[in-house]
Amino acid sequence: MLSRADDLEGVALAVSGNYDYKSYFEQVGMSGGTSGVGNMAGGGAESKSLEDMFYQKEMEISKTVFTRQFTHAVIYAWVKLREQEIRNITWIAECIAQQQKERIGNYISVF
């Protein structure tokens, strides 16, 4: 079903059986067949985009792997955590450059 989805609503419908992904789509207002694409831009200080939620989930998985495994996955997790740190630093620098200091705290925590 997911391979045949050609828009975001189709993807939301396809992943509705998975609790994590379903809750992500519900938080951005795209549960099932409803259209909430306007929320995807992340308007307010508390709202997160779907992309931010996926990055947050990736960071949780990477933290777990980094602290509990002793395999090659640790190196992959370390790289992913460093990539997120770079995105966080870029976000903070862009907020300062654009005079939007109230949005500085909207980064995804690494640890």
Side-chain angles (χ1 to χ4, degrees):
M1 195 166 157
L2 185 59
S3 65
R4 293 186 306 260
D6 56 356
D7 60 352
L8 285 174
E9 292 175 359
V11 173
L13 185 62
V15 299
S16 63
N18 184 307
Y19 175 76
D20 287 334
Y21 297 127
K22 181 180 178 182
S23 67
Y24 295 160
F25 281 96
E26 286 174 354
Q27 289 177 17
V28 295
M30 295 185 60
S31 58
T34 61
S35 177
V37 179
N39 263 351
M40 296 281 295
E46 299 90 24
S47 67
K48 286 188 173 183
S49 69
L50 188 59
E51 183 179 15
D52 287 342
M53 290 184 214
F54 285 132
Y55 278 135
Q56 183 69 39
K57 182 67 174 177
E58 183 181 21
M59 287 302 100
E60 291 171 8
I61 292 169
S62 294
K63 283 190 276 189
T64 301
V65 168
F66 190 71
T67 59
R68 296 191 180 144
Q69 298 290 327
F70 190 69
T71 63
H72 296 293
V74 172
I75 297 168
Y76 179 80
W78 181 80
V79 168
K80 287 299 183 179
L81 291 167
R82 293 298 163 224
E83 286 177 355
Q84 186 59 45
E85 283 185 349
I86 292 168
R87 280 193 291 267
N88 288 345
I89 291 168
T90 304
W91 172 261
I92 292 168
E94 287 294 323
C95 286
I96 292 170
Q98 295 175 9
Q99 303 289 328
Q100 296 188 11
K101 294 182 181 176
E102 66 277 354
R103 295 187 66 199
I104 286 178
N106 290 351
Y107 61 88
I108 298 170
S109 177
V110 175
F111 275 103

